[in-house]
């Protein structure tokens, strides 16, 4: 259906959860590194799905330290520390998936996402679709002109 109705807008980063093709990265999200949430009571939370797990508050001396030191994910974890992912060709676009999902399913941050097989099947298809979209709307010649 998508192939038959390719939109003009870029789709390559929008169709698979937490898969970003455009730029290489080592972590699926900023959990514990450059991402925090502050709720309506001024409490700090690591991720939107952990809203029952408060790690600090805006009254903390340094909320960046709170984010880094008190989140549930070890600082060193990234896709290169996941054995199943470290040689995968998609490691820097998938990064092993949502770390919270992995933790909730397997109790650790060293496993790949349960969505792995879906991603492996669909990432190549997604790239093909993006190529077809670019060709359909003649986007490459426009970019070259700029
Ligand atoms: S596709 Fe699978 S093996 Fe590859 S990075 Fe993603 S979760 Fe890891
Ligand atoms: S841990 Fe998962 S749900 Fe939480 S911010 Fe990261 S990707 Fe989103």
């Amino acid at each position: 259906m998508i192939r038959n109705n390719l939109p003009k807008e870029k789709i390559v980063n929008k169709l698979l959860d937490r898969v970003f093709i455009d730029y290489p990265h080592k972590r699926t999200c900023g959990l514990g590194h450059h991402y925090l949430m502050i709720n309506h009571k001024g409490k700090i939370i690591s991720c939107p799905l952990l809203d029952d797990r408060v790690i600090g508050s805006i009254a903390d001396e340094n909320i960046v330290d709170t984010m880094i030191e008190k989140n549930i994910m070890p600082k060193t974890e990234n896709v290169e520390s996941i054995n199943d992912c470290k040689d995968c060709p998609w490691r820097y676009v998938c990064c092993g998936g949502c770390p919270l999902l992995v933790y909730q399913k397997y109790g650790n941050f060293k496993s790949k996402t349960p969505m792995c097989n879906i991603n492996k099947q669909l990432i190549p298809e997604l790239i093909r679709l993006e190529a077809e979209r670019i060709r359909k709307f003649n986007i490459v010649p426009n970019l070259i002109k700029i």
Side-chain angles (χ1 to χ4, degrees), residues 24-89:
H25 52 291
K26 291 186 181 179
R27 294 186 175 87
T28 305
C29 69
L31 179 71
H33 292 272
H34 52 78
Y35 181 78
L36 57 79
M37 289 197 60
I38 298 171
N39 72 12
H40 62 292
K41 294 181 179 169
K43 303 296 182 191
I44 297 174
I45 297 153
S46 294
C47 134
L49 299 187
L50 285 168
D51 60 352
D52 57 347
R53 191 158 171 160
V54 170
I55 61 170
S57 97
I58 53 172
D60 292 355
E61 193 170 329
N62 187 329
I63 64 172
V64 174
D65 286 348
T66 299
M67 171 190 72
I68 293 171
E69 302 298 334
K70 298 199 175 158
N71 84 91
I72 62 167
M73 189 163 164
K75 271 185 255 181
T76 52
E77 300 301 348
N78 65 56
V79 70
E80 291 170 349
S81 53
I82 302 172
N83 278 338
D84 285 334
C85 298
K86 64 186 181 194
D87 297 319
C88 172

Side-chain angles (χ1 to χ4, degrees), residues 92-109:
Y92 298 126
V93 300
C94 162
C95 295
C98 165
L100 185 63
L101 179 66
V102 169
Y103 186 78
Q104 287 173 334
K105 184 154 179 68
Y106 304 113
N108 66 66
F109 292 103

Side-chain angles (χ1 to χ4, degrees), residues 123-136:
I123 290 172
E125 188 64 14
L126 184 58
I127 294 170
R128 275 192 288 271
L129 279 177
E130 181 69 357
E132 289 175 27
R133 185 191 72 83
I134 286 169
R135 196 171 51 190
K136 175 179 172 183

